[in-house]
Amino acid sequence: MAVPKRKMSRSNTRHRRSAWKASVPTLVKTVVDGKTVYSLPHRARVVEDSQGTPLFLEYKGRKVADA
């Protein structure tokens, strides 16, 4: 395990930590049954029935897994 040779100042520590930022995910807008749905690209979509019960996972119009 790497061990620092000298103490890192509080200013340098905070400056280093502040460089890590969370990025906003890119969403893809699709229209499903007349409703606009935003989803993450390259992810399976959960197909639900009219009551909201998850039925299966779908990717590019194909069933890929049971929910």
Side-chain angles (χ1 to χ4, degrees), residues 1 3 6 8 11 13 18 21 23 25 29 37 39 50 54 56-57 66:
M1 185 169 104
V3 178
R6 295 180 192 271
M8 193 171 193
S11 174
T13 301
S18 69
K21 301 285 184 206
S23 60
K29 178 179 164 183
V37 178
S39 61
S50 59
F56 57 90
L57 295 173
D66 291 324

Side-chain angles (χ1 to χ4, degrees), residues 29-32 34-38:
K29 178 179 164 183
T30 56
V31 178
V32 178
K35 295 193 309 190
T36 303
V37 178
Y38 293 94

Side-chain angles (χ1 to χ4, degrees), residues 15-63:
H15 182 48
R16 176 177 44 83
R17 287 182 181 159
S18 69
W20 291 92
K21 301 285 184 206
S23 60
V24 178
T26 56
L27 297 176
V28 176
K29 178 179 164 183
T30 56
V31 178
V32 178
D33 298 331
K35 295 193 309 190
T36 303
V37 178
Y38 293 94
S39 61
L40 293 170
H42 302 289
R43 300 276 193 332
R45 182 176 71 86
V46 178
V47 176
E48 299 174 338
D49 61 1
S50 59
Q51 285 83 27
T53 308
L55 299 174
F56 57 90
L57 295 173
E58 179 183 62
Y59 183 72
K60 291 186 177 179
R62 298 184 189 133
K63 180 179 174 183

